[in-house]
Structure formats: structure tokens, C-alpha cells
Amino acid sequence: AELKEHAALAWCCAGHAMTGSNEFFFTVPEGSDKGTVFRLTAPDQKVLQLPLPREALPGDQIFLEKKDGNWSFKHVLRPGATVKTPEMVDQDLHGPDVIKVRFETTKGPLILRLVPHWSPNGVRRLLEMVDDGFFKDVCIYRGIPKFLMQFGVVKDEKRKCGYDPIMDDPLCGVPYLEGMVGFAASGPNTRTQQLCLFLGAAPFLGKNSMETPLGRVCSESLSTLGKIFLPGDIPQCGGVGPDPMTLADLGNAYISKSFPKCDFITGASRAP
């Protein structure tokens, strides 16, 4: 691996002194390629070595943050990615590259518009799952009013273990509005097969590259979205809804017995 010294750091925590700041970023220099390792001096003067993230390109900004005394990669930002207005989002949703997907649910169909240039890796993965027939009797096990609903946990080993984590997509300024679609993630480069549909604006999301939206539920499907039963949050987050770990172990029999009001995704296909 090529080790590059990167001395010119740009600080992103306005109002903080350099020493003791908990976040900083630097711009990937021209000529950086796969295998490059950067040697960085953090705000607390610690010397760090960071491999170039696979999704990063020259000119991108790489953000790091300090948690529990340790520095770690946070996200990649592509310059020029200012936050899009609702009008700009709508324009993207009706662009020439948009792909439509139809989810069948126990409350009716949901039509989604996917925007590949928002999240190339995410859209590719979702279409792979649709084409594979993954979305057959998949429980909507998490539902929080005015926030989100989540699904993608299955018992079937072939579906459960059939998808490796995908790389994050660089942020491109897409905000989380009502109806937005995104993958759940537990950290950088951990998106696999769990999807979230958002029931309201979530301005605190979309700031990490693992949170890049894929698309949006069509306006004509929002009424159906509003009919889906919301079982509450998961126990791991202090809720009383279904436990995803138990769902993965016992399957839909667990839902039928303990949460019979839950709705399901019964199928998915590409839509014209």
C-alpha cells in the first residue's frame, strides 16, 4: 500500500478549536487510488493511518469523528452536494434514469421510484433482491409513527445469508422527506437487505454515507403507506414491537402468534 502524508487538513466543526475538536475532514488528493493509505494528524495531534475508502475518489472529502477517545471513518462527501430542495428532489424522481418498483403489501400496492445516481450501490442491491424474489411474505416488523417502517428480516437461510454488505454511496445532498426509501445500516459499509420507508421528514438523517436515500414512494401510494400497521419500535431500542432476532430465529410463526396485526410485503417486481 502506498503511504501518503496528508498535512493540509480542513476543519469542519465551526466554533471549535483545533485541539479537542471531535470531527475533521480532508480532501482526497489527485493521484490517490486503491491501496493508498493516508497518514493524518488529528485535531488532538494523534497520528492516524487511514486506507482510502473504496467508494472515495480524488476530490472527495473524507470525514472522521472521535468517539470514546478513538478516531474512525464517518462518511464520504462529494463536493457540490448541497442539500437538494423538494423541487430538485422531485425533478430527480422524474428523470430519465428512474426505475420503478412495485411492492405488494397486505394493505395494497406501493410504487417506488428509485434514482440510481443518488445511490448506485443501494439501487443495484434493491433491484437484485426484487429480481431474486426476496420479498415474499416479509414482515413489516418495525413501525414508528411519523418516522419509519422497516422490513427485511427473514428466517429462510438462503435469503438471510444471500447478500453481502455493500459499500456506502457518497452523499449527494438528498434529504430524508416523507416517503423516502433507504437501507438500514449499523455502521459504514454494512447495508445488506433491510429497508426503511419513511413516514415523515427526518432532517437528522442523510449526513452519513450509509444513510443515502435510494428513492421515494410515489405520491399516489402514500395513502396505502398510511394504512400499514405500525407495531412500534423494536425491544433493542426500548420498544414493545417484534424482536428482529426472534423473527430471524422463528420466522413468521412468531409474528402470527404474538403480533397478528402486522402487515407483510407479499411480493415485489419491476414496474413499467
Side-chain angles (χ1 to χ4, degrees):
E2 181 183 2
L3 182 64
K4 289 190 175 183
E5 186 86 25
H6 200 288
L9 298 180
W11 308 100
C12 67
C13 290
H16 289 269
M18 286 188 180
T19 302
S21 178
N22 290 320
E23 184 172 310
F24 72 94
F25 71 86
F26 68 95
T27 300
V28 179
E30 293 297 326
S32 301
D33 52 21
K34 185 177 179 180
T36 298
V37 178
F38 298 104
R39 188 171 185 268
L40 310 166
T41 301
D44 58 3
Q45 302 306 306
K46 287 185 178 179
V47 177
L48 313 174
Q49 289 193 10
L50 175 74
L52 178 68
R54 282 181 287 176
E55 70 270 31
L57 300 173
D60 286 352
Q61 294 172 344
I62 297 179
F63 286 72
L64 294 92
E65 64 180 346
K66 187 177 183 180
K67 288 185 176 180
D68 300 323
N70 297 312
W71 289 97
S72 62
F73 168 76
K74 185 179 181 183
H75 65 248
V76 175
L77 180 65
R78 195 141 289 163
T82 55
V83 177
K84 293 177 181 285
T85 64
E87 292 75 20
M88 295 167 67
V89 169
D90 189 64
Q91 185 176 9
D92 285 350
L93 287 165
H94 291 84
D97 63 337
V98 166
I99 301 168
K100 294 172 74 174
V101 166
R102 178 186 175 107
F103 278 128
E104 305 295 341
T105 81
T106 43
K107 290 291 172 59
L110 294 173
I111 308 298
L112 279 57
R113 289 180 178 269
L114 307 180
V115 185
H117 72 262
W118 286 359
S119 178
N121 294 327
V123 169
R124 190 180 304 115
R125 168 53 55 83
L126 178 52
L127 292 176
E128 178 186 10
M129 295 169 68
V130 169
D131 294 341
D132 288 347
F134 176 90
F135 296 104
K136 181 179 180 181
D137 298 328
V138 177
C139 179
I140 301 172
Y141 70 88
R142 188 184 188 199
I144 304 170
K146 299 182 180 180
F147 183 33
L148 61 71
M149 60 180 63
Q150 186 170 334
F151 53 92
V153 174
V154 294
K155 178 184 178 183
D156 175 59
E157 288 296 328
K158 183 177 180 180
R159 287 190 288 170
K160 184 191 300 184
C161 303
Y163 301 96
D164 293 328
I166 60 174
M167 297 299 298
D168 292 341
D169 291 297
L171 297 173
C172 58
V174 183
Y176 269 90
L177 307 173
E178 181 185 14
M180 284 298 193
V181 183
F183 274 100
S186 58
N189 305 315
T190 60
R191 296 179 297 172
T192 52
Q193 63 199 48
Q194 291 202 50
L195 281 175
C196 297
L197 306 182
F198 284 80
L199 307 176
F204 51 90
L205 293 177
K207 296 178 174 61
N208 292 313
S209 45
M210 63 184 176
E211 297 170 349
T212 307
L214 319 177
R216 195 176 190 182
V217 176
C218 292
S219 57
E220 59 267 30
S221 293
L222 290 178
S223 60
T224 301
L225 190 67
K227 296 176 184 176
I228 292 175
F229 178 72
L230 304 178
D233 209 347
I234 59 177
Q236 289 85 347
C237 293
V240 295
D243 184 331
M245 297 181 67
T246 305
L247 175 58
D249 289 339
L250 302 181
N252 290 341
Y254 161 64
I255 299 298
S256 298
K257 180 180 179 181
S258 302
F259 300 93
K261 292 183 179 181
C262 280
D263 283 303
F264 288 79
I265 306 293
T266 58
S269 61
R270 299 193 188 213

